[in-house]
Amino acid sequence: LNTAFSGLSAQRRLLDNTSHNIANVATPGYSRQRVEIQASPAFPWPGLSRPGGPGQIGTGVEPIAHVRLRDQFADNQFRAATSSYGQHEARADMLQPIDQLVDEPDGTGLSKVLQEFWAGWQALTNQPDSAASREAVRRAGEALGSGLNDMSAQLTTAEAEADQRIALHVQRTNDLATQINDLNVEIAEMVQVGLTPNDLLDQRDRLVDELSEYANVMVTQPAVGMRISISIGTELLVDSTTDTTNALAVDALGNGTVGGAPAAITDGRLRGLIDMRETVIPGYRGTLDTLAADIVAQVNAQHQAGFGLDGVGGRDFFDPAGVTAATISLSAAVQGSTDTIAASDSPANVPGGADNAVAIAQLQYDTHAIGAQ
């Protein structure tokens, strides 16, 4: 009877485990479990002597463990891929508004305002003494300056947003490390009393999976016990030997530290955001600044060679002090009067001369490498 009961009891444990698996089929981070069973110890057939022969009486079956069906190698591969995905997703999220800012395919970006600027000068060549044509040139210059000003401002905003996201991700990383450390302690306590805390192990793995989105983490588990240590680079974020955590920090230059010691952040959302803040966005701003400086220098040089309707030459079209995308603007003279716009190449050709306006319009065809010295 006891042998039959052991079989029924073991099968009930298997059915209960199946129900548990089915109930958690949609639970995030849940690992399927399996009950392992084995034959319970047999004992020899009773007799006056026990010669150790083949005669033994079986006692049935017993469950020996509830194991999680989880592959550590697959976990490591998944976390590495998650870190890489997190890096590229963070970059994509930050690049999307910048792409909308440039927005070249739709004809509303930088190339559009440049085309309108050159078109204004081209139209002025047909009617150099027309107040309307001169006003169109001034407005096109204002639009070009405003467009570059706005792009620079939005890049500054994007840089500040990247900085804020870095701070939030660092905070979340440290929060996850604290939770993982707390689960380490709880799991160890349950193991000490002979329990198998599979659901707690699932919770911890889910937190580690999330942690891998933010940085390149490495998980190690001692040979004895179920605690885990987590490192970023060579520094321990979670130390299983002391049940402590070391805080992650990222400074203003993008350098990472764990517990005050340098830690290389090579992947994850943090890497993507650091690259955006320190390299990508400053690169865009540098390109815009170079473009603005080139436009100011080229247009002003040609404009100084011409003469306005008042017969005066040597004046700037753009403010020579505004040599960045954030500061480019029209000169005070042009803002004050459209008569100062130098369309003619000499005082003798005023007001009908347009050779200098032609020369400025032709600047659009000059080839000039951005950033070239």
Side-chain angles (χ1 to χ4, degrees):
L1 290 177
N2 283 338
T3 299
F5 176 76
S6 72
L8 292 172
S9 178
Q11 294 304 315
R12 180 179 179 180
R13 291 280 289 274
L14 292 171
L15 290 173
D16 288 343
N17 182 74
T18 299
S19 298
H20 184 58
N21 285 336
I22 294 173
N24 286 279
V25 67
T27 301
Y30 179 76
S31 300
R32 187 164 62 91
Q33 299 178 20
R34 180 179 65 203
V35 178
E36 294 188 344
I37 58 177
Q38 69 176 15
S40 53
F43 58 86
W45 190 271
L48 296 177
S49 62
R50 301 175 62 183
Q56 288 186 319
I57 299 176
T59 58
V61 63
E62 62 182 1
I64 57 172
H66 283 249
V67 298
R68 295 191 308 154
L69 301 181
R70 189 143 184 148
D71 188 334
Q72 189 64 44
F73 176 78
D75 280 344
N76 292 336
Q77 294 294 104
F78 172 78
R79 288 163 186 164
T82 299
S83 293
S84 180
Y85 175 79
Q87 177 185 172
H88 294 292
E89 185 178 45
R91 289 173 66 98
D93 288 343
M94 293 299 301
L95 284 170
Q96 184 175 5
I98 295 176
D99 179 60
Q100 294 174 352
L101 171 63
V102 177
D103 203 18
E104 294 299 336
D106 290 338
T108 59
L110 181 58
S111 64
K112 180 65 174 179
V113 293
L114 278 170
Q115 289 170 10
E116 291 177 350
F117 177 69
W118 302 124
W121 281 101
Q122 188 67 44
L124 184 61
T125 64
N126 297 321
Q127 294 179 303
D129 57 346
S130 167
S133 296
R134 288 175 171 272
E135 181 61 27
V137 169
R138 180 166 63 178
R139 289 187 179 278
E142 289 176 342
L144 176 58
S146 296
L148 288 169
N149 296 160
D150 184 60
M151 289 181 184
S152 180
Q154 292 192 51
L155 287 175
T156 299
T157 299
E159 195 172 46
E161 182 180 350
D163 189 61
Q164 293 173 358
R165 290 190 184 189
I166 289 171
L168 291 173
H169 289 349
V170 166
Q171 180 180 349
R172 181 56 179 166
T173 297
N174 289 326
D175 289 345
L176 288 170
T178 299
Q179 294 178 50
I180 291 169
N181 185 67
D182 292 342
L183 283 171
N184 263 350
V185 174
E186 190 174 353
I187 288 169
E189 290 174 350
M190 296 188 71
V191 170
Q192 286 178 356
V193 297
L195 300 177
T196 304
N198 286 335
D199 294 331
L200 291 180
L201 292 172
D202 283 344
Q203 292 180 35
R204 188 179 67 184
D205 280 336
R206 183 174 58 82
L207 295 177
V208 175
D209 290 345
E210 182 182 349
L211 183 62
S212 67
E213 293 181 21
Y214 299 105
N216 48 298
V217 297
M218 179 175 293
V219 180
T220 57
Q221 184 170 343
V224 179
M226 290 188 176
R227 288 182 173 91
I228 59 172
S229 292
I230 300 176
S231 60
I232 296 178
T234 59
E235 301 302 320
L236 285 174
L237 182 68
V238 178
D239 189 346
S240 64
T241 61
T242 59
D243 291 330
T244 58
T245 60
N246 298 303
L248 171 69
V250 176
D251 65 17
L253 299 177
N255 301 312
T257 59
V258 173
I265 300 175
T266 60
D267 217 340
R269 291 183 177 273
L270 283 170
R271 181 70 263 165
L273 290 171
I274 291 170
D275 287 344
M276 290 297 300
R277 187 187 70 179
E278 303 301 323
T279 304
V280 178
I281 295 175
Y284 275 107
R285 183 184 294 108
T287 299
L288 282 177
D289 287 346
T290 301
L291 176 62
D294 288 344
I295 290 172
V296 170
Q298 299 282 334
V299 173
N300 278 354
Q302 188 60 53
H303 194 266
Q304 289 170 10
F307 298 85
L309 288 180
D310 54 6
V312 178
R315 289 182 292 213
D316 292 313
F317 183 82
F318 290 108
D319 183 352
V323 293
T324 67
T327 59
I328 183 174
S329 64
L330 295 181
S331 66
V334 174
Q335 289 184 34
S337 174
T338 59
D339 288 351
T340 62
I341 295 175
S344 177
D345 64 337
S346 70
N349 292 331
V350 174
D355 288 348
N356 201 55
V358 172
I360 293 177
Q362 291 299 310
L363 290 175
Q364 64 181 301
Y365 301 113
D366 285 356
T367 300
H368 189 77
I370 295 296
Q373 300 298 322

